């Protein structure tokens, strides 16, 4: 099962050291921007990734993946430096 967790792939690429694509060139439907559940679980359980919830504060407070950080979608670009500084791959999710 593939989990659609890569909401902001450009920020993921920046955080993992990859070159971000130019605006308009990012295909959010690309399988390269998805992670299989088993792989996510393994990385999550070993704390090899940072999980970021891009929903609003109200939705985050209503429930989220344990340990996830809240960075609302409209703040991701402004907080890219902060996200890069974590030094781990980042998995974004919105539901």
């Amino acid at each position: 099962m593939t989990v659609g967790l890569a909401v902001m792939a450009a920020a993921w690429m920046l955080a993992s050291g990859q070159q971000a694509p130019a605006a308009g060139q990012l295909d959010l439907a690309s399988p390269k921007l998805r992670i299989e559940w088993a792989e996510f679980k393994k990385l999550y359980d070993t704390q090899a990734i940072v999980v970021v919830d891009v929903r609003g504060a109200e939705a985050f407070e209503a429930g989220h993946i344990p340990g996830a950080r809240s960075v609302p979608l409209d703040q991701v670009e402004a907080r890219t430096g902060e996200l890069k500084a974590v030094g781990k791959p980042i998995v974004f999710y919105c539901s």
Side-chain angles (χ1 to χ4, degrees):
M1 174 171 75
T2 300
V3 180
L5 296 172
V7 175
M8 289 299 298
W12 161 278
M13 290 174 171
L14 288 171
S16 62
Q18 298 179 35
Q19 178 68 33
Q25 293 182 339
L26 186 61
D27 178 10
L28 293 177
S30 172
K32 293 179 183 181
L33 304 180
R34 303 286 184 252
I35 185 171
E36 293 291 329
W37 172 252
E39 181 67 10
F40 170 79
K41 180 83 169 105
K42 179 179 82 172
L43 294 170
Y44 174 78
D45 287 347
T46 61
Q47 299 179 352
I49 57 173
V50 173
V51 179
V52 175
D53 186 321
V54 297
R55 300 172 302 154
E58 188 173 302
F60 183 81
E61 291 300 322
H64 56 272
I65 294 173
R69 296 178 181 209
S70 176
V71 180
L73 187 57
D74 62 352
Q75 296 177 17
V76 170
E77 187 173 354
R79 295 175 65 183
T80 298
E82 171 191 335
L83 294 170
K84 282 181 68 171
V86 300
K88 295 181 183 180
I90 300 171
V91 177
F92 296 86
Y93 77 96
C94 62
S95 59

